[in-house]
């Protein structure tokens, strides 16, 4: 597996409330996580970092118990535990009230990718230079698209695009969404926040993936989003399906 990632404050926001983590589990397995915090000056950063800390700890301490077939249970439990931690922290500290964070988490092993998410941070499969979205946004605008009220094209510039319908920390209960798919050597998983996808169209992201080396891609994605105005924090994390090579960007 290969790993490379970058997060950036962008060109407008005063603080980076995104966070990400990734790690090798063995020569044929790796995991990655991207979070996008929300909720005031302190809250957003606190929510994303806290969620990442909890989920990273679960991978370090409990992954050995994740047997084949247990992936959905393991990933959902990781996000649910992080949700409860962030929610309880927000309940205890008045200045953190209402904070929350999106999360998209991927585990790649045994020729499969397992993805669990809440919110509008996304996972994509890049195969043969083509980008396929793997996650379904948990947002008000996506619900309008799903029921046919607006088109996907109209959703791209909808004024309420930032309203999230599912996130970690905003409610004691959480129902994260899970999906899985087979992967093959040469595939790349892209986990990213909406600071990237709201600025760069699919075609531009595909173009960046066809030029330059694997470890340069996160920097080039961030640079392109900033060149497009960088209105939000930007995070891009790559998991490349190639054995025996790991590097953190």
């Amino acid at each position: 597996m290969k790993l490379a990632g970058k997060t950036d404050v962008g060109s407008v926001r005063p603080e980076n409330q995104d966070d990400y983590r990734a790690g090798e589990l063995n020569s044929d397995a790796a995991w990655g996580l991207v979070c996008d915090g929300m909720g005031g000056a302190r809250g957003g950063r606190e929510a994303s970092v806290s969620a990442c800390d909890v989920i990273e700890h679960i991978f370090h301490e409990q992954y050995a118990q994740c047997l084949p077939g247990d992936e959905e249970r393991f990933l959902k439990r990781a996000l649910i535990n992080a949700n409860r931690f962030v929610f309880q922290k927000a309940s205890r500290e008045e200045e953190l009230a209402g904070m929350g964070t999106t999360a998209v988490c991927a585990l790649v092993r045994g020729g499969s990718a397992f993805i669990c998410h809440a919110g509008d941070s996304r996972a994509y499969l890049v195969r043969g230079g083509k980008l396929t979205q793997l996650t379904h946004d948990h947002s008000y605008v996506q619900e309008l698209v799903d029921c046919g009220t607006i088109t996907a094209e109209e959703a791209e510039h909808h004024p309420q695009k930032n309203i999230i319908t599912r996130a970690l920390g905003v409610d004691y209960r959480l129902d994260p969404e899970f999906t899985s798919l087979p992967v093959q050597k040469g595939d790349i998983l892209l986990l990213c926040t909406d600071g990237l996808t709201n600025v760069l169209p699919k075609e531009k992201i595909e173009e960046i993936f066809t030029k330059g080396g694997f470890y340069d891609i996160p920097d080039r994605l961030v640079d392109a989003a900033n060149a497009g105005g960088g209105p939000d924090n930007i995070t891009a994390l790559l998991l490349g399906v190639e054995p025996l090579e790991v590097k953190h960007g």
Side-chain angles (χ1 to χ4, degrees):
M1 294 295 297
K2 299 192 296 186
L3 301 171
K6 183 169 185 179
T7 187
D8 188 83
V9 68
S11 303
V12 176
R13 298 290 176 91
E15 177 187 48
N16 191 353
Q17 298 188 346
D18 288 358
D19 198 7
Y20 77 96
R21 309 288 167 87
E24 182 189 20
L25 297 164
N26 55 52
S27 62
D28 187 42
W31 71 280
L33 168 68
V34 166
C35 290
D36 180 355
M38 51 197 170
R42 254 195 73 194
R45 180 66 183 162
E46 191 72 32
S48 63
V49 171
S50 295
C52 282
D53 286 346
V54 170
I55 294 169
E56 183 174 36
H57 178 79
I58 288 171
F59 268 96
H60 286 167
E61 299 298 323
Q62 301 177 26
Y63 174 71
Q65 303 162 25
C66 181
L67 302 176
D70 288 344
E71 294 88 359
E72 180 173 2
R73 179 189 58 82
F74 177 82
L75 290 176
K76 283 188 171 181
R77 188 179 64 197
L79 265 66
I80 288 169
N81 285 351
N83 173 71
R84 289 176 179 169
F85 182 88
V86 174
F87 179 79
Q88 288 168 352
K89 193 168 191 175
S91 300
R92 290 192 305 267
E93 302 182 40
E94 185 177 346
E95 67 272 25
L96 299 179
M99 72 174 178
T101 181
T102 69
V104 56
C105 186
L107 167 63
V108 181
R109 71 176 187 182
S112 295
F114 306 93
I115 298 161
C116 196
H117 82 290
D120 64 352
S121 293
R122 294 177 178 176
Y124 290 89
L125 172 68
V126 186
R127 175 180 290 170
K130 295 299 182 183
L131 196 70
T132 302
Q133 185 173 334
L134 302 176
T135 51
H136 193 74
D137 289 353
H138 300 138
S139 68
Y140 171 67
V141 167
Q142 185 62 55
E143 290 181 355
L144 294 180
V145 174
D146 292 343
C147 68
T149 303
I150 64 173
T151 66
E153 292 73 22
E154 290 170 333
E156 291 301 317
H157 306 287
H158 196 282
Q160 294 172 303
K161 189 176 174 70
N162 64 334
I163 298 177
I164 306 302
T165 56
R166 209 180 304 186
L168 277 62
V170 297
D171 191 291
Y172 189 72
R173 299 156 298 178
L174 178 72
D175 181 21
E177 187 172 344
F178 175 84
T179 189
S180 63
L181 69 152
V183 291
Q184 59 196 38
K185 186 174 179 179
D187 286 350
I188 299 173
L189 289 182
L190 165 64
L191 309 184
C192 60
T193 57
D194 64 347
L196 182 77
T197 52
N198 283 346
V199 177
L200 299 184
K202 177 181 177 182
E203 296 75 21
K204 179 61 176 176
I205 296 175
E206 289 176 339
E207 178 188 340
I208 290 171
F209 270 89
T210 62
K211 299 178 181 178
F214 176 87
Y215 298 110
D216 299 324
I217 291 172
D219 288 289
R220 296 179 67 235
L221 288 169
V222 167
D223 289 346
N226 275 322
D232 200 353
N233 306 147
I234 310 153
T235 301
L237 173 63
L238 308 185
L239 292 81
V241 185
E242 287 188 25
L244 304 178
E245 184 181 4
V246 174
K247 177 180 176 182
H248 294 278

